[in-house]
Amino acid sequence: MKSFLVLTGVAMFLTGCGHSMMRGTVAMKTGKDEAHICLGDNAVKGGDKVAFFENNCISTGSGDSERGGGGREIECNLLKIGEGTVSKTLNSHYSLVKTDGSFSFEEGTMVERVRK
């Protein structure tokens, strides 16, 4: 029951602010410090900053397998791994982003526009 309430709360939060926190992904890594990102319909323009995130999941306990918990509990958080700048938009959904090369990312890494 507790999991259901948590999931319901998260779903309400995400649908309530879906447009103010648009997330996308790295569609194609073109170099150590460069990528094509997909971030929605005209969500960014040249010069905009974007943040790169990865999932950080850890086991938080043994859980209660008798209640269908699967035997353990997992807690996941988004971990910001770095930032980049939009060099240019390629079309309405894709943009070229350049980073400083100080962090590693791969195709599928989450990206979010940095709000000023």
Side-chain angles (χ1 to χ4, degrees), residues 5-81:
L5 292 175
V6 170
L7 289 174
T8 302
V10 169
M12 290 173 61
F13 172 77
L14 290 176
T15 57
C17 65
H19 291 287
S20 65
M21 293 183 74
M22 180 157 307
R23 286 200 178 110
T25 59
V26 172
M28 181 173 66
K29 185 172 181 176
T30 57
K32 178 182 183 265
D33 62 348
E34 194 175 73
H36 291 184
I37 63 166
C38 179
L39 199 58
D41 194 19
N42 298 311
V44 293
K45 62 185 180 309
D48 284 348
K49 299 279 188 200
V50 294
F52 290 74
F53 295 90
E54 65 184 15
N55 286 309
N56 181 30
C57 298
I58 58 170
S59 177
T60 59
S62 62
D64 185 358
S65 60
E66 289 181 20
R67 294 191 320 188
R72 66 178 190 177
E73 294 179 18
I74 306 277
E75 180 179 304
C76 293
N77 295 294
L78 283 179
L79 177 65
K80 182 178 174 182
I81 57 173

